Amino acid sequence: TYAIAQEAAFLGQAVVTGLDFAPDGSALFAADWSGSWPKNEQGRVYRLSHPNHTASAEVSEARAFLTADRSRMDEDALLAGLRHGNRNVRWAAHTELARRANGYDVLSGVALDAAQPRLARLSALWGMGIIARKGGAEPEAALALFSDSDTEVRAQAAALVGDVGFKQAESGLLALLEDSEPRVVFQAAMALASLNSERAVAPALRKLSAWGEGDRFLRHAGIRILERGATGDAPARLSGHGSADVRLAAAVALRRQ
């Protein structure tokens, strides 16, 4: 993440249509349309950087890690990559660990370790997801993270089990619907929808009445539960429900079924 330290105009006469960082974080690239609506078949790419940052240890480490043959890296180097400040380095580290025979044990160990940095734990979770999607070890370790003190770890653990269709997580996800953090509730509800959970329908109806239009993300997740978990004529029978929010959710769910 970045914080604005000082506001100043340093580039003018440019119609910037896209921005992207260099993989090693050394610079920000800007695509310039070069002109106005009349097309001139021209364009520019600006490279924006600061010499102090470009020469920093973090950028040098990222460049070395990303250009190295990671298949030859030892485990300690990859674990250091999981803790790196550059997102691309973390991604490269967890994808390499996910390829290895002991990858699940290594990644789950990081994810479960509350002393590890948050981003390292999240990267480890995503690596576990890669393994599960390829038919490797199921993400049982993620269940223990449903009670983690870190909100985002709980949320991403819920998202993981839903993404890979880990049905053993259903009971834990139902409990997460009562989490104090809306982001966790959203991810749990979306995961339950992915699991086609019929057990989630009743709590979703109660939640939809309370959520109303106050949080449209949560309402969307509740609708997804009805869409995927409510069977037969159950959604249609909600036409007489006392809550207008529930009736609306049922109508949308029916349209999508």
Side-chain angles (χ1 to χ4, degrees), residues 118-181:
R118 169 190 274 187
L119 292 177
R121 300 179 73 194
L122 297 182
S123 293
L125 274 170
W126 299 328
M128 291 164 58
I130 293 173
I131 294 170
R133 291 184 189 91
K134 291 184 175 180
E138 294 183 323
E140 292 185 16
L143 302 183
L145 297 174
F146 287 179
S147 57
D148 197 87
S149 60
D150 189 309
T151 298
E152 193 60 24
V153 169
R154 296 198 305 277
Q156 292 302 317
L160 166 60
V161 296
D163 285 346
V164 303
F166 188 50
K167 292 187 178 296
Q168 292 90 321
E170 184 180 30
S171 294
L173 291 169
L174 287 167
L176 281 183
L177 290 179
E178 305 302 325
D179 197 277
S180 60
E181 292 292 336

Side-chain angles (χ1 to χ4, degrees), residues 12-87:
Q13 303 299 315
V15 182
V16 176
T17 59
L19 296 167
D20 201 4
F21 286 100
D24 61 9
S26 59
L28 175 66
F29 291 92
D32 176 20
W33 192 344
S34 184
S36 186
W37 290 112
K39 296 179 181 179
N40 57 16
E41 303 300 329
Q42 295 179 2
R44 302 183 185 92
V45 176
Y46 291 99
R47 183 181 186 276
L48 312 173
S49 63
H50 191 286
N52 291 347
H53 177 69
T54 302
S56 67
E58 184 175 32
V59 168
S60 298
E61 293 165 0
R63 185 180 299 117
F65 192 96
L66 295 172
T67 56
D69 182 357
R70 291 182 291 279
S71 66
R72 295 178 176 273
M73 285 186 178
D74 60 30
E75 189 175 294
D76 288 340
L78 292 171
L79 288 173
L82 284 181
R83 296 188 293 269
H84 200 273
N86 185 303
R87 180 182 62 181

Side-chain angles (χ1 to χ4, degrees), residues 244-256:
D245 295 301
V246 170
R247 296 197 301 273
L248 175 62
V252 175
L254 275 169
R255 182 180 182 274
R256 292 176 173 175

